[in-house]
Amino acid sequence: MELKYKRRNVYEEADGKRLEAIYSYAEGYKKFLDVSKTERDAAYAAEKLAREKGFTPFSFSEKLKAGDKRYFINRHKNVFLIKVGTEDVAKEGVRIMVAHVDSPRLDLKPNPMYEENGLCYFKTHYYGGIKKYQWTAIPLALHGVVMLRGGERREICVGEEEGDPVFYITDLLPHLAQEQVAKPMSKAIEGESLNAVIGGLPAVGDEDEKEKVKSTILKLLNKKYGFTEVDLQCSELCLVPAGKARDVGFDGALISAYGHDDKVCAYPEMCALFDSEQSPHTLMAVFADKEEVGSDGTTGMQSRVICDVIDTIAASFGANPIEVRYNSKCISADVTAGYDPAYSSVFEKRNSTYVHCGAAVSKYTGARGKSSTNDAPAEYAAFVRDIFDDNNVYWQVGELGAVDNGGGGTVAKYIANLGIDTIDVGVPVLSMHAPYELISKADVFALYEACLAFCK
Ligand code: MN
Ligand code: MN
């Protein structure tokens, strides 16, 4: 019997075969990441994969039966994958995994276009928690939709393909930044200065003397997509870091990419559901939207849509939906801050989670005195522990940072507030919310194995 707890490093214990499994899983994850930069992109990718796996569209008015595999895409952004099991759903509930697929970024304002001194710009409004200075002087891609009159939708993705142009927010040269660099970091780049350059060619033969570049851009956009400036008022367009996920290190042990938070959890939970054909449980994998801005709205986890889906499952079997929820179990799959030796003072090293050490379990999140958290009951933490240990899952447990250094939250509390046992299990991330975040291939694979064990 081991009397002392010792955190295990996946890579230290991995043999050649395991290493190969970890690295090959990472290839699939990177592919998913590259096409899932926004929640809409991720929902589209999930729908495509679900169809390939034989899933068919869900309806609130249908009667589900054991073996059914359904997908429900709530308003293009919020995904529910459902696999109906053979066991009694009233007694056993639903095994739910929730990850969010929105990531911090720069949304366009409703009237985003303007021209100044021969340059045309998009004005932005940042989405989620960002350090604004990190978003200047990097290549940005434009993703999203514009709605035309009559309900026609134009999908836009510029800046990801080889040869595509990108967009760019300028920063001040160091030579003239004497005053800027002396400011506190939060003031050095202001929200209203996050304006992206989108063009510089004046329209030829344009009788309007003002805004000639803007005329060029609007002509281009109208020719390609058929919309005019006013249509941008009914759009959802955002700027995200351009480019693909990349291996990091000579050995490629890690991956840097935009939006690991929280696609690094969405991908494993989805794979686990797909790979659990034989499970007796009724399984649900959810891709949530709006987590980075408080989980409100029709596609966020505070919406009652998740309840409605569970109620539909309950009704299919004549079960009491209250009982189904009470007996359901949830993994809130979200990232946590991995211990970063470069910033050790904000962590408490005995209660941090570490890269390469497996799925990171957080019994609670929140700030200060555990404010605003789902603090998972010891009984449920133990339930999950037993599942993980019985299936040789690499996992670790910790807090987001040292006490009183800030804090954070996940969707866990919103699921728990429905009366569903919930615990946070995710992947430790370095440089979280930066344009390019860092994770270990060992940990995304460990989370996949954790989700598989939960589904089993
Ligand atoms: Mn997150
Ligand atoms: Mn986040």
Side-chain angles (χ1 to χ4, degrees):
M1 184 202 285
E2 283 292 344
L3 280 177
K4 289 182 181 165
Y5 167 66
K6 193 180 164 289
R7 187 178 283 104
R8 293 152 71 203
N9 180 309
V10 176
Y11 282 142
E12 273 174 20
E13 297 183 7
D15 58 12
K17 207 176 143 212
R18 188 167 179 78
L19 214 50
E20 208 185 296
I22 291 170
Y23 274 53
S24 107
Y25 187 78
E27 292 308 307
Y29 170 51
K30 284 188 287 181
K31 279 204 188 88
F32 174 75
L33 261 182
D34 290 342
V35 296
S36 302
K37 292 211 170 174
T38 67
E39 60 278 2
R40 283 177 185 269
D41 296 339
Y44 183 75
E47 180 177 355
K48 196 161 166 264
L49 287 168
R51 281 171 179 276
E52 282 169 23
K53 300 277 179 189
F55 285 63
T56 54
F58 166 87
S59 150
F60 286 111
S61 48
E62 78 173 312
K63 201 170 167 189
L64 294 160
K65 55 183 191 315
D68 281 349
K69 299 191 288 185
R70 296 283 184 272
Y71 68 86
F72 171 46
I73 314 292
N74 175 21
R75 297 169 171 90
H76 309 280
K77 304 187 211 184
N78 169 212
V79 179
F80 295 81
L81 301 172
I82 302 148
K83 202 192 80 56
V84 183
T86 48
E87 68 188 7
D88 182 351
V89 77
K91 281 206 189 73
E92 304 298 329
V94 182
R95 296 255 169 136
I96 305 164
M97 302 170 289
V98 188
H100 67 91
V101 286
D102 60 318
S103 302
R105 61 181 187 231
L106 304 176
D107 284 346
L108 298 200
K109 290 197 182 197
N111 295 304
M113 279 180 95
Y114 72 98
E115 177 177 339
E116 234 168 65
N117 298 92
L119 293 172
C120 192
Y121 295 89
F122 273 154
K123 290 203 72 65
T124 68
H125 194 138
Y126 66 97
Y127 172 98
I130 62 166
K131 290 161 103 175
K132 298 179 191 87
Y133 70 87
Q134 293 180 332
W135 293 72
T136 63
I138 59 168
L140 298 165
L142 184 71
H143 290 241
V145 297
V146 179
M147 295 302 296
L148 307 188
R149 275 191 67 84
E152 223 180 306
R153 193 166 66 231
R154 292 284 188 263
E155 316 233 349
I156 293 172
C157 179
V158 180
E160 300 293 358
E161 294 296 324
E162 197 74 38
D164 268 7
V166 293
F167 308 96
Y168 187 92
I169 296 168
T170 57
D171 196 357
L172 192 54
L173 63 167
H175 316 62
L176 296 177
Q178 213 171 306
E179 220 176 273
Q180 186 200 37
V181 297
K183 286 181 183 175
M185 241 186 211
S186 61
K187 295 268 184 258
I189 300 285
E190 306 272 2
E192 284 298 350
S193 67
L194 293 175
N195 305 314
V197 174
I198 59 163
L201 211 57
V204 191
D206 198 331
E207 59 283 1
D208 184 4
E209 281 303 306
K210 283 179 289 186
E211 301 195 318
K212 285 193 169 186
V213 182
K214 186 170 160 181
S215 298
T216 304
I217 303 301
L218 281 169
K219 277 178 194 166
L220 281 170
L221 291 174
N222 189 261
K223 194 171 166 216
K224 187 155 184 204
Y225 304 105
F227 65 79
T228 59
E229 187 176 13
V230 74
D231 293 321
L232 290 171
Q233 294 173 351
C234 299
S235 73
E236 280 178 1
L237 291 168
C238 61
L239 291 165
V240 297
K244 294 183 183 337
R246 302 289 293 267
D247 283 357
V248 169
F250 288 112
D251 53 8
L254 304 110
I255 303 170
S256 85
Y258 166 68
H260 281 312
D261 178 9
D262 186 31
K263 269 80 81 173
V264 74
C265 299
Y267 183 70
E269 68 163 40
M270 174 178 69
C271 295
L273 185 133
F274 288 155
D275 296 344
S276 296
E277 287 277 347
Q278 302 309 317
S279 171
H281 308 303
T282 293
L283 304 172
M284 192 158 96
V286 184
F287 284 10
D289 177 31
K290 297 281 181 286
E291 193 277 343
E292 296 294 359
V293 291
S295 296
D296 293 293
T298 49
T299 51
M301 271 300 115
Q302 294 204 65
S303 151
R304 60 158 294 128
V305 172
I306 185 168
C307 253
D308 296 338
V309 174
I310 296 171
D311 291 1
T312 304
I313 296 170
S316 297
F317 297 95
N320 179 345
I322 300 167
E323 196 180 356
V324 172
R325 282 200 298 276
Y326 193 81
N327 291 321
S328 290
K329 292 172 177 63
C330 177
I331 280 181
S332 161
D334 203 347
V335 300
T336 184
Y339 180 87
D340 188 339
Y343 302 99
S344 58
S345 68
V346 299
F347 294 93
E348 191 266 280
K349 65 181 183 207
R350 288 172 189 83
N351 284 285
S352 292
T353 56
Y354 292 78
V355 287
H356 313 323
C357 292
V361 175
S362 303
K363 193 173 169 298
Y364 49 85
T365 57
R368 302 177 303 278
K370 292 192 175 182
S371 180
S372 199
T373 180
N374 158 54
D375 198 340
E379 289 80 358
Y380 186 55
F383 169 84
V384 170
R385 183 256 324 260
D386 289 356
I387 288 179
F388 289 173
D389 283 349
D390 290 348
N391 290 280
N392 302 313
V393 171
Y394 281 90
W395 65 282
Q396 55 183 325
V397 61
E399 297 189 342
L400 181 95
V403 175
D404 285 340
N405 264 304
T410 65
V411 300
K413 62 178 175 179
Y414 306 119
I415 314 293
N417 290 350
L418 301 174
I420 298 172
D421 269 324
T422 305
I423 193 163
D424 278 296
V425 185
V427 167
V429 176
L430 302 189
S431 304
M432 196 200 291
H433 284 207
Y436 289 90
E437 304 170 314
L438 190 63
I439 61 105
S440 166
K441 288 180 182 174
D443 298 328
V444 60
F445 188 69
L447 182 62
Y448 165 64
E449 292 191 316
C451 290
L452 261 187
F454 181 73
C455 290
K456 201 166 145 185

